[in-house]
Amino acid sequence: MKIAPAYLYNSNPQSFQGNRRTVYDKSGNFLYRTTTYFFREDLDWNSFAKLLKHKYKDTQKVNIISHICSNGQEPYSLVVKLIQILGDDASKFFPIIAKDIDLDNIESAKRGKLGIKAEELYRINYQTNGNTSEFFDKGCSTNPQSDLVLIPKPHIKNKVIFSQSDILNDIDSIPTNNTILMCRNFWPYLEPHKREVLAKKISQKLDDTSLVLVGDFDAQINVHQLLKNNGFKETGIENVYSKTKSSF
């Protein structure tokens, strides 16, 4: 994946498909796919929310930055889970700052009509304890790749702020302390030397009060070992890493 200004990205003809597009550059070279889902199964959402509750119980404000957020299904998943697990105490984690290099993704996220397949609704209902309607309205999809859309209700939508950004540039400006950096399921799209650069930048930027999340797709290029090589350790929750105090 070559990081380039977003105006060079050329998505397939049906624009604003959000979470199921294949993106090419102007020469027709493959760049990345924008696939995402609510409550992606490579993260134990309940255990993660409980970890946040414990780790930050005495912290007044926690920064959550969801990079490579696609059209917002992942940050909204976390909003829902934090509200469920923490109740009123979840407010210190909001707003979640959600960013993506792909402008179509961000425009789709801001519109707030998130396409899903019908079978995904079962997982969402399970994760919300059957209370999906408490968080989302349902709508009809005009995209043949989706069966319906979920529309975040105002009390959910206002807890995520979306903007376009390149993680390789943005990492230098994120807060060092009490930061949860979600940068999941995109690492294989980076060129190998850029993976090394990004992992090192993350390590240099974040301290031991912070967490980094990756995904199963990233295991293809062994990002877990890359994080360990740069001073991170496993938390006991798969794909969630913390900084060791002695690193760098």
Side-chain angles (χ1 to χ4, degrees):
M1 176 181 174
K2 295 181 179 180
I3 300 298
Y7 64 82
L8 293 182
Y9 292 157
N10 181 24
S11 57
N12 55 6
Q14 296 183 20
S15 62
F16 300 119
Q17 291 184 32
N19 64 327
R20 289 182 176 87
R21 290 181 299 113
T22 301
V23 181
Y24 305 88
D25 65 18
K26 288 187 175 180
S27 299
N29 299 309
F30 170 78
L31 290 174
Y32 53 85
R33 294 183 178 87
T34 65
T35 306
T36 189
Y37 305 98
F38 280 100
F39 298 105
R40 202 161 180 157
E41 293 168 318
D42 60 354
L43 179 62
D44 185 334
W45 293 90
N46 285 306
S47 294
F48 178 54
K50 291 175 182 177
L51 169 65
L52 299 189
K53 179 179 181 179
H54 173 74
K55 181 177 179 67
Y56 299 106
K57 63 181 185 298
D58 298 321
T59 305
Q60 291 186 342
K61 181 68 178 77
V62 183
N63 313 294
I64 299 181
I65 301 172
S66 177
H67 251 294
I68 330 301
C69 69
S70 191
N71 67 346
Q73 296 188 23
E74 187 144 289
Y76 282 129
S77 295
L78 186 54
V79 168
V80 170
K81 192 55 63 174
L82 288 173
I83 290 173
Q84 286 185 316
I85 299 295
L86 280 75
D88 292 340
D89 290 338
S91 61
K92 65 184 176 183
F93 294 94
F94 304 139
I96 292 176
I97 304 302
K99 302 185 178 188
D100 200 285
I101 195 172
D102 188 294
L103 181 59
D104 282 7
N105 281 343
I106 295 302
E107 293 297 330
S108 176
K110 289 180 177 179
R111 285 197 305 276
K113 294 184 177 181
L114 310 176
I116 65 169
K117 292 289 190 180
E119 58 267 23
E120 293 178 51
L121 194 57
Y122 292 100
R123 182 173 66 251
I124 298 167
N125 282 330
Y126 173 79
Q127 289 286 352
T128 60
N129 299 319
N131 294 317
T132 300
S133 60
E134 180 181 339
F135 305 103
F136 303 97
D137 292 318
K138 295 178 185 177
C140 297
S141 175
T142 58
N143 182 350
Q145 295 186 3
S146 301
D147 296 321
L148 69 155
V149 297
L150 292 185
I151 304 167
K153 292 192 173 182
H155 74 286
I156 300 300
K157 190 173 184 180
N158 66 17
K159 291 177 173 57
V160 185
I161 297 175
F162 292 99
S163 64
Q164 184 184 13
S165 179
D166 180 342
I167 188 172
L168 287 169
N169 297 330
D170 191 64
I171 196 67
D172 294 324
S173 62
I174 68 172
T176 296
N177 312 102
N178 301 313
T179 293
I180 300 158
L181 177 61
M182 304 178 75
C183 50
R184 292 167 30 82
N185 295 309
F186 84 102
W187 290 79
Y189 297 138
L190 290 175
E191 297 168 356
H193 76 280
K194 290 185 178 179
R195 299 169 196 158
E196 297 282 349
V197 168
L198 180 58
K200 186 174 182 178
K201 279 189 171 186
I202 292 172
S203 180
Q204 291 174 336
K205 187 63 179 180
L206 299 181
D207 68 9
D208 61 287
T209 65
S210 300
L211 297 171
V212 175
L213 280 71
V214 293
D216 281 358
F217 179 62
D218 305 316
Q220 295 182 20
I221 53 88
N222 203 9
V223 72
H224 305 78
Q225 188 59 50
L226 183 60
L227 289 177
K228 291 176 182 178
N229 292 345
N230 282 276
F232 289 90
K233 62 181 180 180
E234 298 173 345
T235 61
I237 299 175
E238 188 175 6
N239 293 323
V240 181
Y241 287 80
S242 64
K243 187 78 170 294
T244 58
K245 290 185 178 182
S246 60
S247 61
F248 298 92

